[in-house]
């Protein structure tokens, strides 16, 4: 079990380190990380997200309603509470509040989860979990966060911000994929490579770009970074664990939900931070520290829950 966890996390640390090393040698600079992010957000990630959602069978979404419900509630409520807390109580900008909320609420399921969860829960349950988390992130968290970043930075009206948000390739690719799934359409196997050839590069390039940012802007273990990691790796899954125990949720569903939420921070907050030039160093540092700390924290939840 721990060997699987290590094998899932080491590639993330290695790719971050490779990006850091490339920037240290002068091969790439901070401007290069922005170019990489443009490639990811405009082409690679929309292709990956579209194929991932379209390739999710409709019956998978409704197969285990308990897991779907608890993941949806946990991730959405966490995002909303943190965003509102940061924005109204912490008096932070909507952009920063949205990025910090997303950093805590959205686990790196496609990378870490796809390696760890099948060995713990079997291929069927883990497929449901990975598919649902991807849908929640790509259909809810991403469009909302992009809208908040767009409307905040460009000081646009509500209507203008929505229009710009839905023009983003990542947003309309997610919605189009979901509409096709709801209509009962299944992606033909012959088309898969058209989307995945470039789409598979999205995650690795995003982590590499985060490594460049870590070198050019340096790793900062500030209070916000430590707070993000504490919330993401420890407090969020711990609270959900307690709530599920109180509500007497079956053990199998409880373990699946809690271990999933204990997965370290996803790459998307870092990518958005670089693209919109909002707290890029904080998000990259949070991603790095969250991944390192998860060797201990995720291992704990895998044993204890």
């Amino acid at each position: 079990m721990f060997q699987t966890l290590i094998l899932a996390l080491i590639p993330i640390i290695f790719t971050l380190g490779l990006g850091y090393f490339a920037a240290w040698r002068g091969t790439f600079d901070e401007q290069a990380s922005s170019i990489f992010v443009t490639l990811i957000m405009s082409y690679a990630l929309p292709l990956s997200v579209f194929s991932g959602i379209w390739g999710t069978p409709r019956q998978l979404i409704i197969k285990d309603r308990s897991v779907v419900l608890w993941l949806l509630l946990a991730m959405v409520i966490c995002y909303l509470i943190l965003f509102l807390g940061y924005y109204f109580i912490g008096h932070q900008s909507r952009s920063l509040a949205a990025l910090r909320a997303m950093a805590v609420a959205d686990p790196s399921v496609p990378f870490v989860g796809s390696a760890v969860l099948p060995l713990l829960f079997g291929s069927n349950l883990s497929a449901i979990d990975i598919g649902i988390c991807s849908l929640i992130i790509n259909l809810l968290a991403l469009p909302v966060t992009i809208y908040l970043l767009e409307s905040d930075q460009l000081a646009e009206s509500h209507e203008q911000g929505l229009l710009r948000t839905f023009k983003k390739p990542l947003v309309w690719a997610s919605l189009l994929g979901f509409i096709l799934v709801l209509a009962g359409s299944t992606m033909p196997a012959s088309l898969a490579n058209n989307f995945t050839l470039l789409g598979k590069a999205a995650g690795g390039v995003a982590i590499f770009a985060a490594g460049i940012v870590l070198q050019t802007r340096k790793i900062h273990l500030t209070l916000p970074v430590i707070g993000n990691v504490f919330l993401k790796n420890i407090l969020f899954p711990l609270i959900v664990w307690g709530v599920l125990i109180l509500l007497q949720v079956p053990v199998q569903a409880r373990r699946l939900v809690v271990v999933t939420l204990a997965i370290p921070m996803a790459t998307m907050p870092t990518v958005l931070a670089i693209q919109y030039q909002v707290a890029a160093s904080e998000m990259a540092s949070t991603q790095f520290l969250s991944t390192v700390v998860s060797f201990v924290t995720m291992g704990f939840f895998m044993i204890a829950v």
Side-chain angles (χ1 to χ4, degrees):
M1 182 169 63
F2 282 108
Q3 183 180 4
T4 303
L5 178 60
I6 291 170
L7 291 176
L9 295 174
I10 285 296
I12 298 176
I13 299 293
F14 176 78
T15 307
L16 276 168
L18 199 60
Y20 187 98
F21 177 72
W24 177 75
R25 287 194 63 190
T27 307
F28 298 108
D29 56 15
E30 192 171 343
Q31 184 179 1
S33 68
S34 298
I35 296 172
F36 287 143
V37 165
T38 300
L39 168 65
I40 294 164
M41 295 296 291
S42 299
Y43 298 99
L45 194 57
L47 288 172
S48 176
V49 167
F50 176 71
S51 63
I53 294 177
W54 190 16
T56 303
R58 185 171 59 178
Q59 60 269 27
L60 191 68
I61 301 174
I62 59 176
K63 186 175 182 180
D64 195 327
R65 296 176 183 175
S66 175
V67 171
V68 173
L69 176 64
W70 290 118
L71 283 172
L72 177 63
L73 287 175
M75 293 170 68
V76 170
I77 291 173
C78 176
Y79 185 100
L80 287 175
I81 289 176
L82 287 178
F83 172 76
L84 294 174
Y86 286 134
Y87 183 59
F88 289 106
I89 300 174
H91 302 292
Q92 297 170 1
S93 67
R94 286 186 294 180
S95 297
L96 182 55
L99 288 174
R100 286 179 173 173
M102 191 179 188
V104 176
D106 296 339
S108 182
V109 172
F111 302 106
V112 179
S114 60
V116 175
L117 296 177
L119 294 179
L120 292 176
F121 304 103
S123 57
N124 290 333
L125 274 178
S126 60
I128 295 171
D129 184 89
I130 294 167
I132 293 306
C133 281
S134 298
L135 286 174
I136 294 169
I137 293 170
N138 294 317
L139 289 173
L140 296 176
L142 265 177
V144 169
T145 304
I146 290 174
Y147 164 73
L148 291 168
L149 288 164
E150 287 283 342
S151 58
D152 192 31
Q153 290 212 330
L154 301 177
E156 295 178 322
S157 67
H158 175 71
E159 293 77 11
Q160 289 174 317
L162 280 177
L163 183 62
R164 285 183 62 88
T165 298
F166 283 102
K167 283 183 177 180
K168 296 291 181 182
L170 186 56
V171 175
W172 60 255
S174 302
L175 292 174
L176 179 59
F178 190 59
I179 291 170
L180 289 171
V181 170
L182 289 182
S185 173
T186 303
M187 181 175 63
S190 59
L191 291 180
N193 283 339
N194 292 336
F195 304 110
T196 57
L197 184 62
L198 180 59
K200 287 180 179 178
V205 175
I207 297 169
F208 187 87
I212 295 175
V213 172
L214 285 175
Q215 200 285 325
T216 55
R217 301 195 182 185
K218 310 305 177 185
I219 299 174
H220 293 106
L221 297 183
T222 60
L223 283 177
V225 169
I226 295 171
N228 293 338
V229 174
F230 174 72
L231 290 171
K232 173 71 202 76
N233 289 50
I234 301 173
L235 191 59
F236 178 33
L238 198 62
I239 290 174
V240 173
W241 183 18
V243 170
L244 296 183
I245 290 175
L246 287 175
L247 296 176
Q248 299 182 341
V249 174
V251 174
Q252 182 79 329
R254 186 169 72 221
R255 290 191 69 228
L256 182 58
V257 171
V258 173
V259 171
T260 299
L261 298 179
I263 290 173
M265 171 184 156
T267 58
M268 188 47 59
T270 304
V271 172
L272 291 173
I274 296 171
Q275 182 181 30
Y276 288 90
Q277 298 183 356
V278 178
S281 178
E282 178 185 326
M283 290 298 110
S285 298
T286 299
Q287 184 179 351
F288 172 75
L289 186 60
S290 176
T291 304
V292 172
V293 170
S294 66
F295 283 101
V296 176
T297 56
M298 192 176 173
F300 165 78
F301 284 109
M302 288 166 65
I303 295 173
V305 177

